[in-house]
Amino acid sequence: MSTFNAPKGTFDMLPPYSETYNRIRIQFGLELRDAGFQYIETPTFEDTGLFARGVGESTDIVSKEMYTFSDRAGRSLTLRPEGTAAVVRSVLQHKLYAARLPVKLWYFGSYYRYEQPQAGRTRQFTQVGAEAIGSRDPLVDVEMIALAVEGFQKLGLTDFRLLLNSLGCRECRPVYRSRLQEFLRSLDLDEDTLRRVDINPLRVLDDKRPEVQAQLTGAPLITDSLCEACAAHHTFVRSMLDDLGIKYEDDPRLVRGLDYYVRTIFEFVHDGLGAQSAIGGGGRYDGLAQELGGPELPSVGWALGVGRTMLALEAEGREIEMGADCDVYGVALGEEARREVFKLVTALRVADIPADMAFDSKKLKGAMKAADQSGARYAIILGDRDLADGVVQLKDLTTGDQAPVSLHLVVDSLKEKLQ
Ligand code: HAM
Protein backbone atom coordinates (compact mmCIF):
# COMPACT_ATOMS: atom_id res chain seq x y z
CA MET A 1 0.00 0.00 0.00
CA SER A 2 1.31 3.49 -0.75
CA THR A 3 2.27 5.69 2.18
CA PHE A 4 1.91 9.42 2.73
CA ASN A 5 4.34 12.27 3.18
CA ALA A 6 3.72 15.68 4.76
CA PRO A 7 2.39 18.10 2.08
CA LYS A 8 4.82 20.26 0.12
CA GLY A 9 6.10 23.19 2.18
CA THR A 10 5.17 21.58 5.49
CA PHE A 11 7.32 19.54 7.86
CA ASP A 12 7.12 17.41 10.94
CA MET A 13 8.59 18.96 14.05
CA LEU A 14 10.56 15.99 15.31
CA PRO A 15 12.67 15.36 18.41
CA PRO A 16 15.17 16.59 19.40
CA TYR A 17 14.39 19.86 17.52
CA SER A 18 10.86 19.86 18.87
CA GLU A 19 12.38 20.36 22.34
CA THR A 20 14.05 23.58 21.22
CA TYR A 21 10.76 24.63 19.66
CA ASN A 22 8.90 24.09 22.94
CA ARG A 23 11.64 25.84 24.85
CA ILE A 24 11.29 28.93 22.65
CA ARG A 25 7.59 28.99 23.35
CA ILE A 26 8.08 28.63 27.10
CA GLN A 27 10.84 31.23 27.27
CA PHE A 28 8.95 33.91 25.34
CA GLY A 29 5.80 33.11 27.31
CA LEU A 30 7.52 33.69 30.63
CA GLU A 31 9.35 36.78 29.46
CA LEU A 32 6.24 38.38 27.97
CA ARG A 33 4.12 37.52 30.99
CA ASP A 34 6.67 39.29 33.19
CA ALA A 35 6.26 42.35 30.97
CA GLY A 36 2.47 42.37 31.40
CA PHE A 37 1.41 40.44 28.30
CA GLN A 38 -1.40 37.89 28.47
CA TYR A 39 -1.77 34.90 26.19
CA ILE A 40 -4.35 34.92 23.40
CA GLU A 41 -5.31 32.21 20.93
CA THR A 42 -7.48 32.97 17.93
CA PRO A 43 -8.88 30.50 15.36
CA THR A 44 -6.67 28.96 12.69
CA PHE A 45 -9.01 30.25 9.99
CA GLU A 46 -10.92 33.50 9.71
CA ASP A 47 -13.27 35.29 7.39
CA THR A 48 -11.26 35.97 4.20
CA GLY A 49 -12.34 39.62 4.32
CA LEU A 50 -10.45 40.14 7.59
CA PHE A 51 -7.09 39.58 5.93
CA ALA A 52 -8.06 41.25 2.65
CA ARG A 53 -8.94 44.40 4.57
CA GLY A 54 -6.45 44.08 7.43
CA VAL A 55 -3.28 42.99 5.63
CA GLY A 56 -4.19 44.74 2.35
CA GLU A 57 -5.38 43.61 -1.09
CA SER A 58 -2.22 44.88 -2.78
CA THR A 59 0.18 42.79 -0.69
CA ASP A 60 1.70 39.56 -1.99
CA ILE A 61 0.30 37.82 1.06
CA VAL A 62 -3.31 38.59 0.16
CA SER A 63 -3.03 38.58 -3.63
CA LYS A 64 -0.92 35.44 -4.05
CA GLU A 65 -0.27 33.52 -0.87
CA MET A 66 -3.50 32.86 0.99
CA TYR A 67 -5.00 29.43 1.55
CA THR A 68 -8.60 30.40 0.86
CA PHE A 69 -11.48 27.95 0.69
CA SER A 70 -15.26 27.84 0.91
CA ASP A 71 -16.82 25.88 3.70
CA ARG A 72 -19.88 23.72 3.13
CA ALA A 73 -22.17 26.68 3.72
CA GLY A 74 -20.32 28.72 1.09
CA ARG A 75 -18.46 31.07 3.47
CA SER A 76 -15.08 32.22 2.24
CA LEU A 77 -12.51 31.34 4.86
CA THR A 78 -8.73 31.70 4.92
CA LEU A 79 -6.04 29.93 6.92
CA ARG A 80 -4.42 32.78 8.84
CA PRO A 81 -1.34 34.10 7.01
CA GLU A 82 -0.37 36.23 10.04
CA GLY A 83 -1.57 37.00 13.55
CA THR A 84 -2.09 40.74 13.94
CA ALA A 85 -5.36 41.19 12.04
CA ALA A 86 -6.94 38.31 13.96
CA VAL A 87 -5.75 39.58 17.35
CA VAL A 88 -7.19 43.03 16.60
CA ARG A 89 -10.42 41.41 15.37
CA SER A 90 -10.66 39.57 18.67
CA VAL A 91 -9.90 42.67 20.76
CA LEU A 92 -12.68 44.51 18.93
CA GLN A 93 -15.15 41.63 19.07
CA HIS A 94 -14.73 41.18 22.82
CA LYS A 95 -14.19 44.87 23.57
CA LEU A 96 -10.96 44.10 25.38
CA TYR A 97 -10.04 47.74 24.79
CA ALA A 98 -12.63 48.76 27.41
CA ALA A 99 -10.11 47.79 30.12
CA ARG A 100 -6.71 49.27 30.87
CA LEU A 101 -4.80 50.34 27.78
CA PRO A 102 -2.66 49.23 26.13
CA VAL A 103 -4.07 45.72 25.90
CA LYS A 104 -0.93 43.60 25.84
CA LEU A 105 -1.28 40.17 24.27
CA TRP A 106 1.09 37.46 23.09
CA TYR A 107 0.50 34.39 20.94
CA PHE A 108 2.23 31.35 19.51
CA GLY A 109 0.91 29.32 16.63
CA SER A 110 0.96 28.17 13.02
CA TYR A 111 0.50 30.48 10.06
CA TYR A 112 0.04 29.62 6.39
CA ARG A 113 1.33 31.24 3.23
CA TYR A 114 1.43 29.68 -0.23
CA GLU A 115 5.04 30.63 -0.94
CA GLN A 116 7.76 28.84 -2.90
CA PRO A 117 9.34 26.65 -0.23
CA GLN A 118 13.08 27.02 0.35
CA ALA A 119 15.45 26.96 3.32
CA GLY A 120 13.74 28.98 6.05
CA ARG A 121 10.56 29.45 4.04
CA THR A 122 7.72 27.01 4.48
CA ARG A 123 4.00 27.04 3.73
CA GLN A 124 3.14 26.36 7.32
CA PHE A 125 5.34 28.11 9.87
CA THR A 126 5.21 29.11 13.50
CA GLN A 127 5.33 32.60 14.91
CA VAL A 128 5.58 33.87 18.43
CA GLY A 129 4.02 37.31 18.47
CA ALA A 130 3.24 40.17 20.80
CA GLU A 131 0.89 43.12 20.35
CA ALA A 132 0.38 46.23 22.48
CA ILE A 133 -2.99 47.64 21.46
CA GLY A 134 -4.22 51.10 22.36
CA SER A 135 -1.21 53.34 22.91
CA ARG A 136 0.53 55.88 20.72
CA ASP A 137 3.39 56.31 23.21
CA PRO A 138 6.72 55.82 21.40
CA LEU A 139 7.99 54.21 24.60
CA VAL A 140 5.79 51.23 23.75
CA ASP A 141 7.54 50.89 20.36
CA VAL A 142 10.82 50.73 22.28
CA GLU A 143 9.40 48.32 24.85
CA MET A 144 8.34 45.95 22.06
CA ILE A 145 11.73 46.09 20.36
CA ALA A 146 13.54 45.62 23.68
CA LEU A 147 11.46 42.53 24.47
CA ALA A 148 12.26 40.91 21.12
CA VAL A 149 15.96 41.65 21.57
CA GLU A 150 15.89 40.25 25.10
CA GLY A 151 14.11 37.12 23.88
CA PHE A 152 16.65 36.45 21.14
CA GLN A 153 19.53 37.13 23.52
CA LYS A 154 18.15 34.85 26.21
CA LEU A 155 18.03 32.06 23.64
CA GLY A 156 21.73 32.68 23.15
CA LEU A 157 21.61 34.42 19.75
CA THR A 158 24.21 37.11 19.15
CA ASP A 159 24.63 37.53 15.38
CA PHE A 160 21.37 39.28 14.61
CA ARG A 161 20.83 42.86 13.54
CA LEU A 162 17.92 45.20 14.11
CA LEU A 163 16.87 47.27 11.09
CA LEU A 164 14.75 50.33 11.81
CA ASN A 165 12.71 52.72 9.74
CA SER A 166 9.65 54.94 9.89
CA LEU A 167 6.92 54.72 7.26
CA GLY A 168 5.30 58.01 8.22
CA CYS A 169 1.57 58.36 8.65
CA ARG A 170 -1.57 59.05 6.64
CA GLU A 171 -0.50 62.67 6.40
CA CYS A 172 3.08 62.41 5.20
CA ARG A 173 3.22 59.05 3.46
CA PRO A 174 0.98 59.98 0.49
CA VAL A 175 3.30 62.90 -0.27
CA TYR A 176 6.31 60.60 -0.18
CA ARG A 177 4.46 57.95 -2.19
CA SER A 178 3.87 60.42 -5.05
CA ARG A 179 7.50 61.58 -4.99
CA LEU A 180 8.66 57.98 -5.08
CA GLN A 181 6.25 57.09 -7.91
CA GLU A 182 7.52 59.99 -9.94
CA PHE A 183 11.10 58.82 -9.44
CA LEU A 184 10.31 55.17 -10.20
CA ARG A 185 8.40 55.99 -13.38
CA SER A 186 11.53 57.65 -14.74
CA LEU A 187 13.45 54.33 -14.47
CA ASP A 188 13.81 51.48 -16.92
CA LEU A 189 11.47 48.94 -15.30
CA ASP A 190 9.52 45.98 -16.68
CA GLU A 191 5.71 45.92 -17.00
CA ASP A 192 5.14 44.00 -13.78
CA THR A 193 7.29 46.33 -11.74
CA LEU A 194 5.64 49.39 -13.28
CA ARG A 195 2.28 47.98 -12.24
CA ARG A 196 3.70 47.63 -8.76
CA VAL A 197 4.79 51.28 -8.90
CA ASP A 198 1.11 52.17 -9.33
CA ILE A 199 -0.22 49.91 -6.60
CA ASN A 200 2.49 49.65 -3.96
CA PRO A 201 5.56 51.73 -4.86
CA LEU A 202 7.28 51.24 -1.51
CA ARG A 203 7.56 47.52 -2.22
CA VAL A 204 9.68 48.29 -5.29
CA LEU A 205 12.39 49.53 -2.91
CA ASP A 206 12.50 45.96 -1.62
CA ASP A 207 13.06 44.43 -5.09
CA LYS A 208 16.09 42.20 -4.72
CA ARG A 209 17.04 42.05 -8.43
CA PRO A 210 20.42 43.74 -9.02
CA GLU A 211 19.20 45.50 -12.20
CA VAL A 212 16.45 47.15 -10.16
CA GLN A 213 18.60 47.85 -7.10
CA ALA A 214 21.22 49.54 -9.31
CA GLN A 215 18.62 52.08 -10.45
CA LEU A 216 17.37 52.83 -6.96
CA THR A 217 20.47 54.63 -5.71
CA GLY A 218 18.98 58.10 -5.97
CA ALA A 219 15.48 57.15 -4.80
CA PRO A 220 13.83 59.62 -2.41
CA LEU A 221 13.87 58.36 1.18
CA ILE A 222 10.83 58.29 3.44
CA THR A 223 12.84 59.60 6.38
CA ASP A 224 13.36 62.86 4.44
CA SER A 225 9.58 63.24 4.00
CA LEU A 226 8.28 62.61 7.53
CA CYS A 227 5.89 65.17 8.99
CA GLU A 228 6.89 66.86 12.22
CA ALA A 229 4.95 64.48 14.48
CA CYS A 230 6.32 61.36 12.75
CA ALA A 231 9.85 62.74 12.79
CA ALA A 232 9.57 63.46 16.52
CA HIS A 233 8.20 59.95 17.16
CA HIS A 234 11.05 58.40 15.20
CA THR A 235 13.68 60.53 16.93
CA PHE A 236 12.29 59.53 20.32
CA VAL A 237 12.36 55.81 19.46
CA ARG A 238 15.94 56.03 18.22
CA SER A 239 17.22 57.99 21.22
CA MET A 240 15.49 55.66 23.67
CA LEU A 241 17.04 52.64 21.94
CA ASP A 242 20.38 54.43 22.30
CA ASP A 243 19.71 54.95 26.01
CA LEU A 244 19.00 51.24 26.42
CA GLY A 245 22.16 50.36 24.52
CA ILE A 246 20.17 48.50 21.87
CA LYS A 247 22.04 48.63 18.59
CA TYR A 248 20.04 49.27 15.43
CA GLU A 249 20.71 50.17 11.83
CA ASP A 250 18.74 52.96 10.22
CA ASP A 251 17.42 51.48 7.01
CA PRO A 252 15.38 54.11 5.15
CA ARG A 253 14.65 51.53 2.42
CA LEU A 254 13.11 49.04 4.84
CA VAL A 255 9.52 48.19 3.91
CA ARG A 256 7.24 45.44 5.16
CA GLY A 257 5.01 43.00 3.33
CA LEU A 258 1.84 44.09 5.14
CA ASP A 259 -0.11 47.29 4.48
CA TYR A 260 -1.18 48.24 7.99
CA TYR A 261 2.05 49.82 9.19
CA VAL A 262 2.60 53.47 10.03
CA ARG A 263 5.56 55.16 11.70
CA THR A 264 7.96 52.68 13.34
CA ILE A 265 8.80 49.50 11.45
CA PHE A 266 11.62 47.11 12.23
CA GLU A 267 13.03 43.80 11.20
CA PHE A 268 15.49 41.41 12.83
CA VAL A 269 17.85 39.77 10.37
CA HIS A 270 20.37 37.02 10.94
CA ASP A 271 23.35 36.84 8.65
CA GLY A 272 23.80 33.09 8.99
CA LEU A 273 20.55 32.29 7.19
CA GLY A 274 21.01 33.09 3.50
CA ALA A 275 18.13 34.57 1.51
CA GLN A 276 15.43 34.17 4.15
CA SER A 277 17.30 36.17 6.76
CA ALA A 278 14.39 37.86 8.57
CA ILE A 279 13.94 36.12 11.90
CA GLY A 280 11.26 38.57 12.95
CA GLY A 281 9.60 41.83 12.19
CA GLY A 282 6.94 44.25 13.24
CA GLY A 283 5.94 47.82 13.72
CA ARG A 284 3.20 50.27 14.52
CA TYR A 285 -0.26 49.91 13.03
CA ASP A 286 -2.29 52.84 14.34
CA GLY A 287 -5.11 52.61 11.78
CA LEU A 288 -5.82 48.87 11.75
CA ALA A 289 -8.52 48.78 14.45
CA GLN A 290 -10.49 51.48 12.64
CA GLU A 291 -9.95 49.76 9.32
CA LEU A 292 -11.60 46.72 10.88
CA GLY A 293 -14.60 48.74 12.05
CA GLY A 294 -13.47 49.51 15.60
CA PRO A 295 -12.47 52.63 17.51
CA GLU A 296 -9.11 54.30 17.11
CA LEU A 297 -6.54 52.06 18.81
CA PRO A 298 -2.97 52.98 17.96
CA SER A 299 -0.89 49.83 18.35
CA VAL A 300 2.49 48.24 17.89
CA GLY A 301 3.70 44.66 17.76
CA TRP A 302 5.94 42.03 16.28
CA ALA A 303 6.09 38.42 15.25
CA LEU A 304 9.19 36.25 15.28
CA GLY A 305 9.62 33.22 13.06
CA VAL A 306 10.23 30.26 15.34
CA GLY A 307 11.61 28.01 12.56
CA ARG A 308 14.05 30.67 11.39
CA THR A 309 15.06 31.38 14.98
CA MET A 310 15.89 27.69 15.31
CA LEU A 311 17.94 27.85 12.10
CA ALA A 312 19.73 30.91 13.50
CA LEU A 313 20.54 29.05 16.71
CA GLU A 314 21.90 26.20 14.62
CA ALA A 315 23.94 28.61 12.47
CA GLU A 316 25.54 29.99 15.64
CA GLY A 317 26.12 26.49 16.97
CA ARG A 318 23.97 27.20 20.03
CA GLU A 319 22.19 24.46 21.83
CA ILE A 320 19.49 25.39 24.24
CA GLU A 321 20.19 23.91 27.66
CA MET A 322 17.30 21.57 28.07
CA GLY A 323 18.17 19.68 31.26
CA ALA A 324 17.78 15.89 31.33
CA ASP A 325 14.55 14.51 29.91
CA CYS A 326 14.71 11.94 32.59
CA ASP A 327 16.65 11.76 35.87
CA VAL A 328 15.71 8.27 36.95
CA TYR A 329 15.06 5.20 34.83
CA GLY A 330 13.27 2.14 36.18
CA VAL A 331 14.28 -1.38 35.25
CA ALA A 332 12.08 -4.23 36.43
CA LEU A 333 12.74 -7.95 36.16
CA GLY A 334 9.57 -9.99 36.59
CA GLU A 335 5.87 -9.25 36.68
CA GLU A 336 5.56 -8.24 40.33
CA ALA A 337 8.65 -6.01 40.04
CA ARG A 338 7.07 -4.23 37.04
CA ARG A 339 4.15 -3.18 39.18
CA GLU A 340 6.44 -1.92 41.97
CA VAL A 341 8.77 -0.02 39.62
CA PHE A 342 5.80 1.56 37.91
CA LYS A 343 4.53 2.75 41.31
CA LEU A 344 7.98 4.17 42.14
CA VAL A 345 8.21 5.97 38.80
CA THR A 346 4.77 7.47 39.40
CA ALA A 347 5.79 8.56 42.92
CA LEU A 348 9.01 10.13 41.56
CA ARG A 349 7.03 12.14 39.03
CA VAL A 350 4.68 13.35 41.77
CA ALA A 351 7.82 14.47 43.62
CA ASP A 352 8.83 16.47 40.48
CA ILE A 353 11.64 14.10 39.57
CA PRO A 354 11.60 13.33 35.84
CA ALA A 355 11.38 9.55 35.58
CA ASP A 356 10.70 6.86 33.02
CA MET A 357 10.97 3.07 32.86
CA ALA A 358 11.51 0.15 30.50
CA PHE A 359 8.19 -1.24 29.28
CA ASP A 360 7.36 -4.50 27.51
CA SER A 361 9.24 -6.78 29.92
CA LYS A 362 12.69 -6.14 28.46
CA LYS A 363 15.57 -8.41 29.43
CA LEU A 364 18.14 -6.82 31.81
CA LYS A 365 20.65 -6.02 29.06
CA GLY A 366 18.11 -4.29 26.80
CA ALA A 367 16.56 -2.42 29.74
CA MET A 368 19.98 -1.16 30.94
CA LYS A 369 20.76 0.02 27.41
CA ALA A 370 17.46 1.93 27.39
CA ALA A 371 18.42 3.42 30.78
CA ASP A 372 21.70 4.69 29.31
CA GLN A 373 19.96 6.09 26.23
CA SER A 374 17.43 7.94 28.37
CA GLY A 375 20.16 10.25 29.70
CA ALA A 376 19.07 9.47 33.26
CA ARG A 377 21.58 9.88 36.10
CA TYR A 378 20.21 6.98 38.13
CA ALA A 379 18.60 3.65 37.43
CA ILE A 380 16.40 1.84 39.91
CA ILE A 381 16.65 -1.87 39.27
CA LEU A 382 14.26 -4.31 40.85
CA GLY A 383 14.48 -8.11 40.60
CA ASP A 384 12.62 -10.88 42.41
CA ARG A 385 15.26 -11.23 45.13
CA ASP A 386 15.28 -7.46 45.78
CA LEU A 387 11.54 -7.54 46.03
CA ALA A 388 11.70 -10.29 48.65
CA ASP A 389 14.25 -8.17 50.58
CA GLY A 390 12.12 -5.01 50.27
CA VAL A 391 14.93 -3.14 48.50
CA VAL A 392 15.68 -1.70 45.09
CA GLN A 393 19.15 -1.43 43.52
CA LEU A 394 20.02 2.22 43.01
CA LYS A 395 22.64 2.55 40.32
CA ASP A 396 24.54 5.75 39.55
CA LEU A 397 24.74 5.59 35.74
CA THR A 398 27.71 7.95 35.60
CA THR A 399 30.02 6.15 38.06
CA GLY A 400 28.46 2.69 37.79
CA ASP A 401 28.19 2.49 41.61
CA GLN A 402 25.26 0.45 42.80
CA ALA A 403 23.73 -0.06 46.28
CA PRO A 404 20.47 -1.42 47.68
CA VAL A 405 18.02 1.10 49.15
CA SER A 406 14.81 0.29 50.97
CA LEU A 407 11.77 0.48 48.69
CA HIS A 408 10.16 2.97 51.10
CA LEU A 409 13.16 5.27 51.17
CA VAL A 410 14.16 5.35 47.53
CA VAL A 411 12.06 8.38 46.52
CA ASP A 412 13.41 10.46 49.41
CA SER A 413 16.91 9.26 48.79
CA LEU A 414 16.71 10.23 45.10
CA LYS A 415 15.20 13.59 46.01
CA GLU A 416 18.24 14.24 48.16
CA LYS A 417 20.74 13.06 45.59
CA LEU A 418 19.18 15.08 42.77
CA GLN A 419 18.90 18.33 44.72
P1 HAM B 1 6.04 39.05 8.91
O1 HAM B 1 7.29 39.83 8.71
O2 HAM B 1 5.23 38.73 7.71
O3 HAM B 1 5.19 39.86 9.97
O4 HAM B 1 6.38 37.69 9.64
C1 HAM B 1 7.14 37.68 10.82
C2 HAM B 1 8.19 36.58 10.77
O5 HAM B 1 7.57 35.31 10.49
C3 HAM B 1 9.22 36.74 9.66
O6 HAM B 1 10.23 37.63 10.04
C4 HAM B 1 9.74 35.31 9.53
O7 HAM B 1 10.70 35.05 10.52
C5 HAM B 1 8.50 34.48 9.80
N1 HAM B 1 7.92 34.02 8.52
C6 HAM B 1 7.11 34.70 7.69
N2 HAM B 1 6.79 33.96 6.61
C7 HAM B 1 7.42 32.77 6.75
C8 HAM B 1 7.51 31.56 5.97
N3 HAM B 1 6.84 31.42 4.83
N4 HAM B 1 8.28 30.55 6.44
C9 HAM B 1 8.94 30.66 7.61
N5 HAM B 1 8.90 31.77 8.39
C10 HAM B 1 8.15 32.81 7.97
C11 HAM B 1 3.95 39.49 10.42
O8 HAM B 1 3.45 38.41 10.23
C12 HAM B 1 3.29 40.55 11.27
N6 HAM B 1 2.01 40.03 11.72
C13 HAM B 1 4.18 40.94 12.43
C14 HAM B 1 3.55 41.97 13.32
C15 HAM B 1 2.96 41.75 14.50
N7 HAM B 1 3.46 43.26 13.06
C16 HAM B 1 2.82 43.86 14.05
N8 HAM B 1 2.48 42.95 14.92
Side-chain angles (χ1 to χ4, degrees):
M1 217 189 293
S2 64
T3 55
F4 296 99
N5 289 330
K8 182 173 177 183
T10 70
F11 55 90
D12 297 309
M13 182 60 74
L14 300 173
Y17 300 104
S18 48
E19 289 298 322
T20 309
Y21 177 85
N22 272 335
R23 191 41 80 102
I24 292 174
R25 177 184 180 132
I26 291 166
Q27 192 208 281
F28 273 98
L30 293 175
E31 180 198 320
L32 289 163
R33 194 188 56 181
D34 285 351
F37 288 75
Q38 292 179 299
Y39 184 69
I40 183 169
E41 213 165 284
T42 60
T44 310
F45 53 85
E46 298 267 359
D47 209 314
T48 302
L50 171 69
F51 301 117
R53 207 171 341 140
V55 176
E57 301 268 13
S58 71
T59 60
D60 281 356
I61 295 179
V62 171
S63 63
K64 300 190 201 148
E65 297 170 359
M66 295 211 299
Y67 280 92
T68 298
F69 58 97
S70 296
D71 74 2
R72 286 169 197 270
R75 296 177 193 93
S76 179
L77 299 170
T78 293
L79 293 183
R80 56 186 185 187
E82 63 102 43
T84 311
V87 168
V88 173
R89 193 267 308 138
S90 181
V91 166
L92 297 180
Q93 183 177 339
H94 304 287
K95 296 199 169 48
L96 300 186
Y97 55 83
R100 185 162 49 96
L101 294 178
V103 184
K104 290 173 155 189
L105 299 166
W106 79 277
Y107 50 90
F108 184 99
S110 303
Y111 297 85
Y112 308 86
R113 296 183 194 173
Y114 193 82
E115 294 189 271
Q116 210 37 53
Q118 52 172 268
R121 188 160 80 188
T122 47
R123 290 182 172 171
Q124 173 172 337
F125 56 96
T126 303
Q127 287 184 344
V128 56
E131 315 286 353
I133 295 168
S135 169
R136 56 176 80 255
D137 190 339
L139 263 185
V140 183
D141 305 33
V142 179
E143 176 187 40
M144 296 307 299
I145 293 173
L147 286 167
V149 170
E150 181 191 334
F152 283 137
Q153 283 174 344
K154 280 194 175 154
L155 289 175
L157 281 184
T158 52
D159 303 342
F160 64 90
R161 293 180 290 130
L162 164 62
L163 310 180
L164 185 70
N165 194 15
S166 170
L167 283 183
C169 63
R170 267 151 213 255
E171 305 293 312
C172 53
R173 192 168 350 153
V175 181
Y176 170 69
R177 195 172 183 270
S178 312
R179 283 181 60 199
L180 181 63
Q181 276 173 327
E182 202 179 310
F183 170 84
L184 293 171
R185 287 191 186 119
S186 72
L187 305 179
D188 177 22
L189 299 170
D190 58 89
E191 290 275 307
D192 262 5
T193 315
L194 281 171
R195 215 168 300 127
R196 193 167 248 197
V197 170
D198 290 334
I199 307 168
N200 204 342
L202 272 74
R203 287 298 292 181
V204 179
L205 295 178
D206 202 26
D207 199 314
K208 302 279 186 289
R209 290 172 298 177
E211 66 274 22
V212 178
Q213 276 303 322
Q215 298 186 69
L216 292 176
T217 336
L221 299 175
I222 179 82
T223 32
D224 295 330
S225 294
L226 296 179
C227 64
E228 222 174 286
C230 286
H233 190 101
H234 196 46
T235 304
F236 183 94
V237 169
R238 294 171 71 245
S239 69
M240 198 65 219
L241 287 171
D242 290 337
D243 278 9
L244 291 182
I246 294 178
K247 291 203 176 58
Y248 57 88
E249 293 170 28
D250 286 312
D251 183 354
R253 299 260 183 99
L254 181 68
V255 288
R256 305 261 305 128
L258 307 99
D259 273 355
Y260 46 61
Y261 293 112
V262 293
R263 296 194 166 169
T264 311
I265 56 163
F266 51 88
E267 217 154 72
F268 294 95
V269 291
H270 194 281
D271 296 322
L273 291 193
Q276 302 307 313
S277 61
I279 53 174
R284 187 160 266 289
Y285 50 95
D286 292 349
L288 181 57
Q290 277 178 310
E291 192 67 44
L292 298 178
E296 195 183 0
L297 287 169
S299 308
V300 53
W302 47 249
L304 314 179
V306 176
R308 288 190 199 168
T309 301
M310 289 167 68
L311 291 175
L313 286 166
E314 211 174 292
E316 287 193 29
R318 309 256 162 217
E319 272 183 35
I320 295 186
E321 187 45 62
M322 224 70 75
D325 304 337
C326 166
D327 280 340
V328 182
Y329 199 86
V331 172
L333 305 165
E335 197 45 38
E336 191 51 32
R338 270 164 50 80
R339 299 173 69 95
E340 281 309 315
V341 168
F342 184 68
K343 282 196 262 177
L344 285 177
V345 165
T346 307
L348 286 165
R349 290 174 181 167
V350 170
D352 287 330
I353 297 174
D356 201 355
M357 69 178 279
F359 291 104
D360 294 306
S361 308
K362 282 202 175 60
K363 297 241 163 57
L364 181 62
K365 200 169 156 212
M368 288 312 294
K369 197 170 156 202
D372 280 331
Q373 285 169 346
S374 76
R377 288 184 48 201
Y378 295 96
I380 44 176
I381 307 157
L382 190 63
D384 283 341
R385 200 179 313 144
D386 299 318
L387 207 53
D389 294 345
V391 295
V392 58
Q393 299 297 325
L394 182 57
K395 180 169 183 176
D396 183 324
L397 291 171
T398 324
T399 61
D401 295 344
Q402 183 173 318
V405 178
S406 160
L407 268 174
H408 306 294
L409 298 178
V410 69
V411 173
D412 283 339
S413 154
L414 280 164
K415 246 198 258 180
E416 213 163 281
K417 284 180 189 297
L418 287 164
Q419 247 174 17

